[in-house]
Amino acid sequence: MSIDETTAARVAKLARIRVEPDALPALAGEFNTILGFIEQLNEVDIEGVEPMTSVTPQLLKRRADAVNDGDQQAKVLSNAPDAREGFFAVPKVVE
């Protein structure tokens, strides 16, 4: 797959990045370099390799999935700039 200047301009527009017309050839070249690297990665044999989220094995702490009401309404609302009748009060945004 090859990225031309027109496609690079479209990607820049979709990403809301202003790219000057004279910089488009370089941007297209960078995209092509990235795609070339991805194509190299597709050639790697990953049969039998487990998916992982980190390069170091980690066990996350688990907690019981118990439902409770928290019973901390006063503490939570103490941080609110405006609280009324036990709720956060926010300005009206829809007329």
Side-chain angles (χ1 to χ4, degrees), residues 3-95:
I3 302 291
D4 60 357
E5 291 180 32
T6 306
T7 307
R10 179 168 162 76
V11 170
K13 181 179 178 184
L14 291 171
R16 299 186 191 281
I17 300 171
R18 181 180 303 150
V19 178
E20 299 299 326
D22 58 336
L24 285 174
L27 182 62
E30 288 181 35
F31 284 152
N32 286 321
T33 302
I34 293 168
L35 290 175
F37 180 69
I38 292 171
E39 287 175 7
Q40 282 182 337
L41 290 177
N42 285 333
E43 296 173 5
V44 175
D45 180 22
I46 57 169
E47 187 67 34
V49 177
E50 293 287 325
M52 54 191 227
T53 58
S54 175
V55 293
T56 58
Q58 299 179 22
L59 292 177
L60 299 176
K61 295 180 183 178
R62 306 250 179 199
R63 64 172 172 80
D65 191 13
V67 177
N68 62 31
D69 66 353
D71 197 29
Q72 298 183 10
Q73 182 181 24
K75 282 185 181 178
V76 171
L77 291 176
S78 68
N79 293 322
D82 188 10
R84 298 180 195 158
E85 300 175 16
F87 296 97
F88 287 98
V90 295
K92 184 177 179 180
V93 292
V94 178
E95 301 270 338

